Amino acid sequence: MIAFAIRSILAAGLLFLTVFSFYTGYWGWGIVLILVTAIVGATFIYNENLAFSLNHMRTGNQDKAKHYINKITHPQFLPRRQRAYVIYLQAMFNSQDIGHAKSEMLLRQALAIGLRRGHDKAMARLHLAGVCAQTGRKAEALTLLAEAKKLDNTGMMKEQIKMMQTQLQNAPSKNQMRMAQMM
């Protein structure tokens, strides 16, 4: 919230300086300040921590990506699509720390808000299928895998889906899972 307040004050100050420089006749500085104000205004539209996190994911640095995505503490203030991706990435990176139930809830919430790309929807459903398989819901996991297979247009997750299907075929029933957990 402090960063938002600083950004708001900076944007208001830059807007005032832009108008003042045009009013006093300094057209060159006014044009430069319009560009600077536009850059600061763009930070209201697109969250910089999300941009840094996605950039580190592309380069393969998962630790830094997790660090930046966990810096976003209030995703409800973001635009709808960005909120979906923040919740999706937080569920993916923190699945070991927050547990299966919370991870499943976050992934379902991200899917309900709306992920833009098909492979992101497929990956979310693949992870949901993994959570369902670990909690003993084999039928739901199979339907989620079928949906993920439909959404994977590029074939990037073809091997992962096949591996998950073979694991589900060899998985014990729900009662056997409960008995194993009780032991």
Side-chain angles (χ1 to χ4, degrees):
M1 291 304 285
I2 293 171
F4 181 76
I6 291 171
R7 207 176 326 160
S8 299
I9 292 169
L10 184 65
L14 282 171
L15 186 63
F16 173 76
L17 281 174
T18 303
V19 171
F20 183 72
S21 43
F22 277 120
Y23 178 74
T24 56
Y26 293 106
W27 291 87
W29 283 109
I31 293 170
V32 169
L33 285 172
I34 284 176
L35 297 174
V36 173
T37 306
I39 291 171
V40 171
T43 63
F44 284 105
I45 297 169
Y46 196 74
N47 191 307
E48 66 275 1
N49 286 325
L50 180 61
F52 290 148
S53 177
L54 291 173
N55 185 37
H56 285 295
M57 279 184 60
R58 277 189 218 110
T59 59
N61 193 345
Q62 301 295 326
D63 294 332
K64 282 191 177 182
K66 181 179 178 180
H67 170 73
Y68 280 114
I69 205 67
N70 287 335
K71 276 187 166 183
I72 302 172
T73 56
H74 301 289
Q76 66 269 19
F77 296 127
L78 294 173
R80 197 175 121 245
R81 297 281 184 178
Q82 289 181 30
R83 184 178 343 132
Y85 276 97
V86 167
I87 292 170
Y88 164 68
L89 290 174
Q90 285 177 344
M92 300 286 275
F93 285 135
N94 300 322
S95 62
Q96 298 295 322
D97 301 332
I98 61 177
H100 296 305
K102 179 82 172 165
S103 177
E104 179 183 1
M105 183 191 71
L106 288 175
L107 284 170
R108 289 190 189 277
Q109 185 180 2
L111 284 170
I113 292 172
L115 295 172
R116 187 175 305 170
R117 297 187 182 112
H119 63 275
D120 290 332
K121 292 176 188 177
M123 183 63 79
R125 283 186 171 82
L126 184 66
H127 277 276
L128 274 175
V131 170
C132 289
Q134 288 179 351
T135 56
R137 296 177 286 170
K138 186 175 178 180
E140 187 178 355
L142 287 172
T143 58
L144 286 167
L145 275 177
E147 291 173 9
K149 195 172 188 179
K150 286 180 194 174
L151 290 171
D152 186 26
N153 298 331
T154 59
M156 288 182 355
M157 292 174 277
K158 191 175 184 179
E159 292 178 24
Q160 293 170 339
I161 291 172
K162 276 186 182 180
M163 186 174 66
M164 182 77 76
Q165 285 175 339
T166 56
Q167 287 176 355
L168 281 174
Q169 289 171 354
N170 299 332
S173 69
K174 192 173 187 178
N175 290 334
Q176 289 174 339
M177 292 273 293
R178 283 190 195 137
M179 292 301 289
Q181 288 175 353
M182 290 171 71
M183 296 298 228

